[in-house]
Amino acid sequence: MSPSTHWIVGPGALGRLITHRLVGRVPVRLLGRRLLPARQTLVTPAGDPLVQTLAMARIDVLPQETPAVVHLTTKAHAAEAAHAAIAEHLPAGVPLVLWQNGFACQPRLTERHHGPVLCATTTEGAHVQSEDRVTHAGHGHTFLGALNGDHTDLARTLARTLSEAGLPAEAADDIRLRLWRKLAVNAAINPLVARYTIRNGQLRDRPFRPMVERLIVEVSAILDAEGVTPPGGGGVEDWRRLVWQVIEATANNRASMLQDVLASRPTEHEAILAPLLAAASRHQLPAPCLAQHLHDLRFRAEKLAVPPTLC
Ligand code: KPL
């Protein structure tokens, strides 16, 4: 029998959202370090509770089945450890989909995994309410593709499966560009909202607006040097337009990094800010605000208090 089960590794908000949506359409199993209650509720964007029983497993007691595909839905900093925990139990050739933010684990796991690797970038909004409840806050769109543009049939097939399950998705031959664009937006928004405990829309007001502007200028110079263009073609004006559009569209949201801070979880600062700062140093570009945020978030990660800065 050919493998048919989608393994979703990482039972956070995104992992549970994908599992809930796929249930009943394809065999699906949710894997994590510990078992959650099997009876899970998804609150839909319309506010309706959808209660379903999800098949689960622990990654240290893997089921005796070969998955059709593995979706890695952990946070960026947990992705490589989660992959290491399952990789030796997978036969060569099982496709892997990386759903992480930033641009850190994607090239490394693309190199390391013994099978096709796709990266996904999504604007689906979800957050965890409790052990057995997750909210799908807003509909979004997902792009899937391999970093080198290969595996387009696989990307199309998976995009169709996700779309039919209510998560609109499409194959993209420029996923690297799309990952960097999302990283750029995240870098201009997330460290600030996490530091000041504000919703995205509050960035439009003083004193935050100039802080966003300073980050946009730094990010734009670095990505121009890297050849990563914003939609519209290029230059700081187009990056500015993109960042403020996202702030406008998500004005009422608590960004993922703020949710992590509020829940005392590690943040994705290394995956979002460190690749930008590495690029800045390759091109000998100053990035004092980005560097300050990375420094502050590393301090937080070490459980040290840091005085606020104005970047
Ligand atoms: O993707 C996001 C996040 O919450 O991480 C947005 C809403 C774009 C903020 O950066």
Side-chain angles (χ1 to χ4, degrees):
M1 207 177 75
S2 66
S4 59
T5 305
H6 287 235
W7 281 9
I8 316 289
V9 179
L14 181 63
R16 280 192 251 172
L17 169 64
I18 297 171
T19 309
H20 269 291
R21 289 299 181 201
L22 289 179
V23 162
R25 298 180 174 271
V26 292
V28 58
R29 192 183 297 283
L30 182 60
L31 295 96
R33 297 212 171 269
R34 60 194 177 85
L35 291 179
L36 296 175
R39 207 93 181 116
Q40 289 279 328
T41 301
L42 177 77
V43 181
T44 69
D48 303 319
L50 171 68
V51 184
Q52 304 192 105
T53 301
L54 307 182
M56 308 227 183
R58 277 179 23 204
I59 56 173
D60 57 344
V61 194
L62 288 174
Q64 295 294 310
E65 69 191 1
T66 297
V69 53
V70 174
H71 299 263
L72 205 53
T73 54
T74 64
K75 289 283 183 174
H77 41 264
E80 287 174 82
H83 180 262
I86 59 166
E88 61 182 282
H89 305 282
L90 294 176
V94 175
L96 176 70
V97 186
L98 300 173
W99 288 81
Q100 284 66 37
N101 277 330
F103 197 80
C105 65
Q106 293 91 339
R108 293 199 285 263
L109 287 177
T110 296
E111 183 85 3
R112 212 174 294 158
H113 183 70
H114 297 300
V117 178
L118 300 179
C119 300
T121 171
T122 187
T123 52
E124 294 292 347
H127 51 264
V128 168
Q129 298 280 5
S130 65
E131 288 274 284
D132 62 357
R133 199 176 179 88
V134 67
T135 295
H136 186 188
H139 291 291
H141 199 87
T142 299
F143 291 94
L144 293 163
L147 287 182
N148 64 2
D150 281 354
H151 312 304
T152 46
D153 286 348
L154 174 66
R156 280 197 206 107
T157 304
L158 284 174
R160 198 175 322 117
T161 303
L162 290 165
S163 300
E164 286 169 3
L167 299 172
E170 67 188 279
D173 56 11
D174 58 353
I175 197 73
R176 182 181 179 277
L177 176 66
R178 291 177 185 276
L179 288 168
W180 274 100
R181 283 179 179 165
K182 184 165 189 207
L183 179 154
V185 170
N186 286 162
I189 297 176
N190 289 7
L192 285 172
V193 294
R195 166 169 283 286
Y196 296 104
T197 324
I198 53 174
R199 288 181 190 259
N200 293 358
Q202 291 174 267
L203 292 172
R204 294 173 295 194
D205 307 323
R206 289 204 154 265
F208 308 114
R209 198 177 185 92
M211 300 181 195
V212 180
E213 287 293 334
R214 281 198 286 273
L215 284 167
I216 293 172
V217 169
E218 289 184 13
V219 167
S220 147
I222 297 166
L223 292 185
D224 274 0
E226 281 285 294
V228 175
T229 53
V236 69
E237 275 316 314
D238 286 333
W239 284 115
R240 188 170 279 135
R241 192 168 307 118
L242 176 64
V243 170
W244 287 111
Q245 258 167 16
V246 173
I247 290 172
E248 210 52 61
T250 61
N252 216 17
N253 292 9
R254 286 198 181 96
S256 54
M257 198 177 277
L258 173 57
Q259 290 179 41
D260 289 336
V261 165
L262 293 175
S264 302
R265 292 188 297 248
T267 65
E268 297 189 302
H269 54 280
E270 294 295 340
I272 294 169
L273 297 177
L276 274 174
L277 283 158
S281 110
R282 273 198 300 281
H283 299 287
Q284 297 182 318
L285 288 167
C289 295
L290 290 165
Q292 185 68 57
H293 281 299
L294 181 57
H295 169 85
D296 292 353
L297 287 159
R298 280 179 175 159
F299 258 77
R300 172 191 174 269
E302 291 165 16
K303 302 263 184 291
L304 289 171
V306 263
T309 58
L310 280 180
C311 272

